[in-house]
Amino acid sequence: MSEEETEAKGSVTIIGLGPGDPRLLTESARIALDRAQDLIGYIPYVARVPEREGLVRHASDNRVEVDRARHALELAMSGRRVAVVSGGDPGVFAMAAAVFEAVEQGPADWRNLTIEVEPGITAMLAAAARLGAPLGGDFCAISLSDNLKPWDVVTARLEAVLRAGLSVALYNPISSARPWQLGRALALAAEILAPSTPVIFARAVTRPDEALRVLTLEEARTAPADMATMVIIGAPTTRLIERDGRLPFVYTPRSVTA
């Protein structure tokens, strides 16, 4: 298939909108949004993109990621320039994986489409930047949602990284359908880490209702959170730099002594 034929079939660009503040949208992502003819995504993320003439909006509810991806690919096959949007970075527990899953399982022609990913600032990086460098050493990210993987897989992975001494960023910590999972995760952490281990609760970072808390692991076990909250459990090496009347700086040293 020639480049002209591929272009005639349209394209899909999977775009990270960042954590919320429009100033944190990359210029490359902004250009891709301006080029798009169709906008596809979860309702709150589509709402973050300004309306303009010539842009058709396709907002859908949560938990239909692969259906959303198939819709984008079908539109692209008809010759449309499609933007699929995610909050944060589209490659972190978001739509990029869903699109490529749909490509792998779909018609062979979908593999010849132009598909690009525009990265964004993901929640763990935005939260970490607010308080210093809690992810400054080795770290990992784990989603506490068991919608797509069994809960015992979640806990096995979490235990492994906690015992390895990594900082851990917890995505999807709690929801109305999963009100107990964050508590279970923090209880597991308490079996492995010291009660004084720093834990960050960063809610709605960069948005008007942003709220930051730096707690001990002991305090964190009963602290409220929701789906807009990023929880970062510090490593055994994570340190606090106290400041009068302000939240401390939190950082994890790059070096580890044997």
Side-chain angles (χ1 to χ4, degrees):
M1 179 177 290
S2 70
E3 183 176 344
E4 289 79 10
E5 289 172 321
T6 301
E7 285 298 319
K9 284 185 165 55
S11 62
V12 175
T13 306
I14 312 158
I15 299 172
L17 298 177
D21 188 330
R23 296 174 299 176
L24 297 183
L25 180 71
T26 71
E27 184 61 22
S28 182
R30 199 181 307 276
I31 291 170
L33 287 171
D34 289 343
R35 292 186 65 251
Q37 297 169 305
D38 292 89
L39 181 68
I40 289 180
Y42 179 37
I43 295 165
Y45 300 146
V46 169
R48 284 171 54 183
V49 179
E51 296 192 24
R52 62 169 169 81
E53 185 176 354
L55 180 65
V56 181
R57 303 158 76 88
H58 308 269
S60 52
D61 207 347
N62 204 4
R63 297 195 186 186
V64 293
E65 289 88 352
V66 176
D67 290 341
R68 194 181 294 146
R70 293 190 187 105
H71 185 199
L73 293 160
E74 289 165 354
L75 285 171
M77 286 297 294
S78 73
R80 305 286 288 180
R81 293 190 302 275
V82 183
V84 178
V85 293
S86 288
D89 180 276
V92 180
F93 306 120
M95 281 304 300
V99 170
F100 290 113
E101 179 182 340
V103 170
E104 183 179 28
Q105 297 173 355
D109 284 353
W110 285 2
R111 301 183 181 209
N112 296 317
L113 284 166
T114 297
I115 302 175
E116 298 179 339
V117 180
E118 289 291 346
I121 298 173
T122 188
M124 66 181 176
L125 300 182
R130 279 291 195 250
L131 290 162
L135 306 179
D138 294 335
F139 69 91
C140 80
I142 292 179
S143 170
L144 290 190
S145 173
D146 61 351
N147 290 332
L148 299 174
K149 59 182 181 290
W151 178 245
D152 60 354
V153 171
V154 176
T155 54
R157 292 175 176 179
L158 180 58
E159 181 176 1
V161 297
L162 290 170
R163 292 195 184 280
L166 278 62
S167 301
V168 186
L170 298 179
Y171 280 76
N172 305 313
I174 197 166
S175 71
S176 57
R178 301 180 291 102
W180 51 271
Q181 288 171 322
L182 178 60
R184 296 275 185 88
L186 292 172
L188 175 60
E191 295 176 8
I192 299 167
L193 301 174
S196 59
T197 301
V199 179
I200 294 167
F201 281 58
R203 186 185 184 282
V205 175
T206 81
R207 302 200 287 273
D209 54 341
E210 175 180 297
L212 302 172
R213 288 170 288 166
V214 180
L215 308 172
T216 66
L217 178 54
E218 186 174 16
E219 294 168 334
R221 293 182 61 181
T222 57
D226 60 16
M227 279 292 283
T229 306
M230 166 58 57
V231 178
I232 299 176
I233 303 174
T237 56
T238 300
R239 301 177 64 83
L240 301 183
I241 302 174
E242 299 293 348
R243 300 190 291 166
D244 290 340
R246 304 173 70 181
L247 288 173
F249 289 127
V250 186
Y251 83 101
T252 303
R254 296 169 295 161
S255 58
V256 177
T257 57

